[in-house]
Amino acid sequence: MADQVALLRDAANRMRVSAIEMTSASKSGHPTSGSSSAEVLATLFFDEMHYEVANPRNPSADRFVLSKGHACPILYAAWEEAGLLTHDDVLSLRKVDSDIEGHPTPRLSFIDVATGSLGQGLSCAAGMAYVGKYVDKSAFRVYCLIGDGESAEGSIWEAAAFSSYYKLDNLVAIVDVNRLGQSQATQLGHDVEAYARRFAAFGFHSIVVDGHSVEALLNAYKEARNTKNQPTAIIAKTFKGKDISGVENQDDWHGKPVPVEKADEIRAVLKSTKRHNWQIKAPPNDAPDTKLSFGNIHLSSPPSYKLGEKIATRAAYGTALVKLGDSSKRIMGFDGDVKNSTFSEKLLKKYPDQFVECFIAEQNLVGVAIGAGTRDRVVPFC
Amino acid sequence: MADQVALLRDAANRMRVSAIEMTSASKSGHPTSGSSSAEVLATLFFDEMHYEVANPRNPSADRFVLSKGHACPILYAAWEEAGLLTHDDVLSLRKVDSDIEGHPTPRLSFIDVATGSLGQGLSCAAGMAYVGKYVDKSAFRVYCLIGDGESAEGSIWEAAAFSSYYKLDNLVAIVDVNRLGQSQATQLGHDVEAYARRFAAFGFHSIVVDGHSVEALLNAYKEARNTKNQPTAIIAKTFKGKDISGVENQDDWHGKPVPVEKADEIRAVLKSTKRHNWQIKAPPNDAPDTKLSFGNIHLSSPPSYKLGEKIATRAAYGTALVKLGDSSKRIMGFDGDVKNSTFSEKLLKKYPDQFVECFIAEQNLVGVAIGAGTRDRVVPFC
């Protein structure tokens, strides 16, 4: 364990250095938002999560959603550390012909949903967790890193309410409480207990940790695994620009590269500048390899309307949805408490396992459907 | 007090009867959503709130926002009971040429903001409360009735976070926890303690009451008045379709008129079918009668850009905003933690009292600005 802790600290710092280098090379990007979450990502990627480096879309692999998408340099650095990306790859950050963009996109094999517009990631993660638990019935877990500023977005709380209502104990939200937003301190600053109270009130098991402590993070993930029937929120107290001298915990460093020399002090504490040969835990391979496309999904019988007949669009929608449901177990309807208006309740009545009530929270509804639709698990309708 | 309680109960029941009559006449509308909130409205309008019946837009008058706008028949019934509307007026509900619409609109003198799209009212109410406390420095209070199903909307929690951050102790959110949404029971059903925990975690003083108890409601308003430096949430446990026999607390009665005969049982318990001659408490008349229009607001100096000069729109915006601020104390900028990108920080620097940081919660930002912009108090920019 002691060795592993030291190795993970080294990984976090190598990732910090790489993020500084790539944002210096691009003369733009968010090294400070990444530096606050370096230990979170290092512990997740090199101790906690089960996945295949060579095949990030393995259907049984754990999912990671970077809801604070602007912090993606540290995510690219994690995949560099894992061995999927080269240092040259990540140094192409924000170049016009590079997929290593300023915000993550699913063009990259290790990204399921595009993030960057804040507040959307937890809904997508909840959709993935719902599918894992109720559709795939797989052991894969879903980790979502949220910014503290971003937690002011109501969609986060819509997703939180949804996640506890459906007892998504395979979902872990991690809040990177680095205190500083883009233009000033956040509403709650470093009041991590306030975040914990909010998530607890929304039905989560809340754990407050020092987000730069590898030991604390590993223990928190373990506690989350042992938590049943409710999702977990790990409230990680961190510092923006952590370990970047003259930058850490200072205003006015959001979204700005820092001089590359500032990486020297971090480099100096590394035991090894060379990436470690990590033994990543293999996924359980218990999720079906569902290759769904619209090609093999069809109406069980053709529309039977007569020419000129007037049918409300919503009535035709409900009827068609059931016919699609006849042809595939993976057709799924998502509703915002209007199923008796939209006639999607027809699907609920015939195939209750293929229907998700999302209540009056439309942003979350769309996010959940997007998350559910990744990796060919479900074909969402909403 | 005993007399007043009996009078208020009578008022609530007369309002229930009227709402049933108007929705029967229109053959559409939401009598059940109104019936659950009849005592809340009766106690607010005929005991708690300070206003002028003849002039609902008195700048010093208390504000009422019906965020669950579909319940408006009961609101029209309250204004009928107050003497502003006749019974014939309210019986024109949903007629094509009537302003007594299916959802409230500000064409009506007693409505400040249109509601009906759920989740938006509390933000508007927070904007009004912000202006009352910090701009008008008036004693007026703001009451906002929210549906329980609607409380799943994230914008409610954005507004809640904003309201406690700015210590809006002149704001009272009342949640009508009638358990039933449009198509099924809500996420939290009648778990009023869960609502209380959520609002408390978001910085509110939470009070749980029997929402059909006149005494409990009056006490709660008093407790709210005595609560300083934080807003209050009154969690009112109610029953949808309350006192409508065969309808109360039953599924499948959302948004449907009920047979007008169902009003008979309610009528039978009335001491008087005639409206009471209420002595409404007068507003304090401590808010300036601000008649602002764009006509008397101007740039303090004309734009000085040279023809062909390239200026970023956001830079020109920041410069123009300050020049507008020079000409009026009522110009106000609202920001979503991007003031260093949009240059609205120029207004903050020169006129800090004319700037409101709304953090990363854009829906609430817009709602707050709308609320602030009502009754000619503030000219919002965001």
Side-chain angles (χ1 to χ4, degrees), chain A residues 114-137:
Chain A
T115 52
S117 286
L118 294 174
Q120 303 180 354
L122 190 59
S123 296
C124 298
M128 296 172 190
Y130 186 96
V131 168
K133 181 161 182 160
Y134 296 108
V135 184
D136 285 352
K137 298 182 171 63

Short mmCIF file of all heavy atoms in Angstrom, two decimals, chain A residues 114-137:
data_model
loop_
_atom_site.label_atom_id
_atom_site.label_comp_id
_atom_site.label_asym_id
_atom_site.label_seq_id
_atom_site.Cartn_x
_atom_site.Cartn_y
_atom_site.Cartn_z
N ALA A 114 -19.48 14.28 -24.72
CA ALA A 114 -18.80 15.57 -24.78
C ALA A 114 -19.18 16.38 -23.55
O ALA A 114 -20.34 16.43 -23.16
CB ALA A 114 -19.21 16.32 -26.05
N THR A 115 -18.18 17.00 -22.95
CA THR A 115 -18.45 17.85 -21.78
C THR A 115 -17.70 19.17 -21.95
O THR A 115 -16.81 19.29 -22.77
CB THR A 115 -17.97 17.17 -20.48
OG1 THR A 115 -16.61 16.76 -20.64
CG2 THR A 115 -18.83 15.96 -20.13
N GLY A 116 -18.11 20.13 -21.21
CA GLY A 116 -17.51 21.45 -21.34
C GLY A 116 -18.57 22.49 -20.97
O GLY A 116 -18.31 23.38 -20.18
N SER A 117 -19.77 22.32 -21.52
CA SER A 117 -20.91 23.09 -21.01
C SER A 117 -21.19 22.54 -19.63
O SER A 117 -21.52 21.36 -19.48
CB SER A 117 -22.13 22.90 -21.91
OG SER A 117 -21.96 23.62 -23.09
N LEU A 118 -21.03 23.36 -18.65
CA LEU A 118 -21.00 22.85 -17.27
C LEU A 118 -22.36 22.37 -16.81
O LEU A 118 -23.41 22.84 -17.25
CB LEU A 118 -20.44 23.92 -16.34
CG LEU A 118 -18.97 24.26 -16.62
CD1 LEU A 118 -18.51 25.43 -15.76
CD2 LEU A 118 -18.07 23.06 -16.40
N GLY A 119 -22.34 21.40 -15.91
CA GLY A 119 -23.56 20.94 -15.26
C GLY A 119 -24.20 19.73 -15.89
O GLY A 119 -25.22 19.25 -15.40
N GLN A 120 -23.63 19.21 -16.97
CA GLN A 120 -24.31 18.15 -17.71
C GLN A 120 -23.79 16.75 -17.43
O GLN A 120 -24.47 15.76 -17.71
CB GLN A 120 -24.23 18.45 -19.21
CG GLN A 120 -24.81 19.82 -19.54
CD GLN A 120 -24.74 20.17 -21.02
OE1 GLN A 120 -24.15 19.44 -21.80
NE2 GLN A 120 -25.34 21.28 -21.40
N GLY A 121 -22.59 16.65 -16.90
CA GLY A 121 -21.94 15.34 -16.80
C GLY A 121 -22.61 14.37 -15.86
O GLY A 121 -22.68 13.17 -16.16
N LEU A 122 -23.12 14.86 -14.74
CA LEU A 122 -23.68 13.93 -13.75
C LEU A 122 -24.94 13.25 -14.29
O LEU A 122 -25.19 12.08 -13.99
CB LEU A 122 -23.95 14.64 -12.42
CG LEU A 122 -24.31 13.71 -11.25
CD1 LEU A 122 -23.20 12.69 -10.97
CD2 LEU A 122 -24.61 14.50 -9.97
N SER A 123 -25.71 13.98 -15.09
CA SER A 123 -26.89 13.36 -15.72
C SER A 123 -26.48 12.23 -16.64
O SER A 123 -27.07 11.14 -16.63
CB SER A 123 -27.69 14.40 -16.51
OG SER A 123 -28.20 15.40 -15.68
N CYS A 124 -25.46 12.48 -17.46
CA CYS A 124 -24.97 11.43 -18.37
C CYS A 124 -24.45 10.24 -17.57
O CYS A 124 -24.73 9.09 -17.91
CB CYS A 124 -23.87 11.98 -19.28
SG CYS A 124 -24.41 13.33 -20.33
N ALA A 125 -23.70 10.53 -16.52
CA ALA A 125 -23.16 9.46 -15.68
C ALA A 125 -24.30 8.66 -15.05
O ALA A 125 -24.24 7.42 -14.97
CB ALA A 125 -22.26 10.05 -14.61
N ALA A 126 -25.35 9.35 -14.64
CA ALA A 126 -26.50 8.67 -14.03
C ALA A 126 -27.18 7.76 -15.05
O ALA A 126 -27.61 6.65 -14.72
CB ALA A 126 -27.49 9.70 -13.48
N GLY A 127 -27.25 8.22 -16.31
CA GLY A 127 -27.82 7.38 -17.37
C GLY A 127 -26.99 6.11 -17.57
O GLY A 127 -27.53 5.01 -17.73
N MET A 128 -25.66 6.26 -17.55
CA MET A 128 -24.78 5.09 -17.68
C MET A 128 -24.97 4.14 -16.50
O MET A 128 -25.04 2.92 -16.66
CB MET A 128 -23.32 5.55 -17.71
CG MET A 128 -22.96 6.41 -18.91
SD MET A 128 -21.29 7.10 -18.71
CE MET A 128 -21.28 8.25 -20.08
N ALA A 129 -25.06 4.71 -15.30
CA ALA A 129 -25.20 3.89 -14.09
C ALA A 129 -26.55 3.17 -14.10
O ALA A 129 -26.65 2.00 -13.70
CB ALA A 129 -25.05 4.76 -12.85
N TYR A 130 -27.60 3.87 -14.56
CA TYR A 130 -28.93 3.24 -14.65
C TYR A 130 -28.87 2.02 -15.56
O TYR A 130 -29.35 0.94 -15.22
CB TYR A 130 -29.97 4.24 -15.16
CG TYR A 130 -31.37 3.68 -15.13
CD1 TYR A 130 -32.22 3.95 -14.06
CD2 TYR A 130 -31.84 2.85 -16.14
CE1 TYR A 130 -33.49 3.39 -14.00
CE2 TYR A 130 -33.10 2.29 -16.10
CZ TYR A 130 -33.92 2.57 -15.04
OH TYR A 130 -35.18 2.01 -14.97
N VAL A 131 -28.23 2.20 -16.71
CA VAL A 131 -28.12 1.09 -17.67
C VAL A 131 -27.28 -0.04 -17.09
O VAL A 131 -27.63 -1.23 -17.21
CB VAL A 131 -27.52 1.60 -19.00
CG1 VAL A 131 -27.12 0.44 -19.90
CG2 VAL A 131 -28.52 2.49 -19.72
N GLY A 132 -26.19 0.31 -16.41
CA GLY A 132 -25.34 -0.72 -15.82
C GLY A 132 -26.11 -1.57 -14.82
O GLY A 132 -26.03 -2.80 -14.83
N LYS A 133 -26.87 -0.88 -13.98
CA LYS A 133 -27.57 -1.60 -12.90
C LYS A 133 -28.82 -2.34 -13.39
O LYS A 133 -29.04 -3.48 -13.02
CB LYS A 133 -27.96 -0.59 -11.81
CG LYS A 133 -28.68 -1.22 -10.62
CD LYS A 133 -28.66 -0.36 -9.37
CE LYS A 133 -29.36 -1.09 -8.23
NZ LYS A 133 -29.00 -0.59 -6.91
N TYR A 134 -29.61 -1.68 -14.23
CA TYR A 134 -30.93 -2.24 -14.55
C TYR A 134 -31.05 -2.89 -15.92
O TYR A 134 -31.93 -3.71 -16.15
CB TYR A 134 -32.00 -1.14 -14.42
CG TYR A 134 -32.15 -0.63 -13.01
CD1 TYR A 134 -31.70 0.63 -12.64
CD2 TYR A 134 -32.72 -1.44 -12.01
CE1 TYR A 134 -31.83 1.09 -11.34
CE2 TYR A 134 -32.84 -0.99 -10.71
CZ TYR A 134 -32.40 0.27 -10.38
OH TYR A 134 -32.52 0.71 -9.09
N VAL A 135 -30.20 -2.51 -16.88
CA VAL A 135 -30.33 -3.07 -18.23
C VAL A 135 -29.22 -4.10 -18.47
O VAL A 135 -29.49 -5.28 -18.66
CB VAL A 135 -30.30 -1.96 -19.31
CG1 VAL A 135 -30.53 -2.56 -20.70
CG2 VAL A 135 -31.36 -0.89 -19.01
N ASP A 136 -27.95 -3.64 -18.39
CA ASP A 136 -26.84 -4.58 -18.58
C ASP A 136 -26.71 -5.54 -17.39
O ASP A 136 -26.20 -6.64 -17.54
CB ASP A 136 -25.53 -3.82 -18.73
CG ASP A 136 -25.38 -3.15 -20.09
OD1 ASP A 136 -26.23 -3.40 -20.97
OD2 ASP A 136 -24.42 -2.38 -20.27
N LYS A 137 -27.13 -5.08 -16.23
CA LYS A 137 -26.92 -5.84 -14.98
C LYS A 137 -25.46 -6.26 -14.87
O LYS A 137 -25.12 -7.41 -14.59
CB LYS A 137 -27.87 -7.04 -14.90
CG LYS A 137 -29.35 -6.63 -14.88
CD LYS A 137 -30.27 -7.82 -14.74
CE LYS A 137 -31.72 -7.42 -14.49
NZ LYS A 137 -32.38 -6.68 -15.56
#
